[in-house]
Amino acid sequence: MTAYAIAHLRPADGPVEDEVLDYIERIQATFEPYGGRFLVHGGEAEVVEGAWPGAVVMVGFPGVAEAHAWYASPAYQEILPLRTRHLDGDVVIVPGVGPEYDASATAAAMRAARDRTAREV
């Protein structure tokens, strides 16, 4: 099942540092061996609810194992400080859902679990 590495990177004060540009130049090569590819890379986000200062980056991988392997890889860990020294952000890895996914079935399972817990209390 497809997995995604999603980053929410917040803007730094001042001009973009050379190390951040080096990171951007090198990152794509780090996830290609794991089947990763950019899906979103810092485009202008249209905020329709809440606040979202910064940029969104999303990379798709064939699965969660590949996403974790990429993040832990020596190639990525080598360049990671080039970004983290200059930009604050959050990065998550999440599994995707398939075409058969039904949100109403998820809601029903959540409702049943909540109701079981309430009966046990």
Side-chain angles (χ1 to χ4, degrees):
M1 181 65 57
T2 303
Y4 304 93
I6 304 168
H8 176 204
L9 304 175
R10 281 163 302 283
D13 294 331
V16 177
E17 297 287 338
D18 283 338
E19 283 191 335
V20 173
L21 297 173
D22 292 343
Y23 171 88
I24 292 169
E25 289 171 346
R26 296 170 60 187
I27 188 171
Q28 189 164 337
T30 69
F31 53 70
E32 286 175 345
Y34 303 95
R37 67 178 188 87
F38 279 114
L39 301 174
V40 176
H41 192 212
E44 184 73 24
E46 178 185 350
V47 180
V48 295
E49 287 186 38
W52 192 279
V56 178
V57 177
M58 183 183 308
V59 179
F61 289 92
V64 171
E66 291 87 350
H68 281 288
W70 158 74
Y71 191 85
S73 72
Y76 185 65
Q77 290 300 306
E78 178 183 324
I79 69 168
L80 182 57
L82 300 175
R83 176 181 58 79
T84 59
R85 281 195 287 262
H86 304 285
L87 296 175
D88 289 331
D90 304 297
V91 178
V92 297
I93 294 173
V94 295
V97 296
E100 73 288 346
Y101 178 75
D102 180 355
S104 62
T106 299
M110 292 170 70
R111 181 173 281 118
R114 179 201 63 196
D115 293 349
R116 265 193 315 278
T117 302
R119 284 191 302 272
E120 293 170 0
V121 172

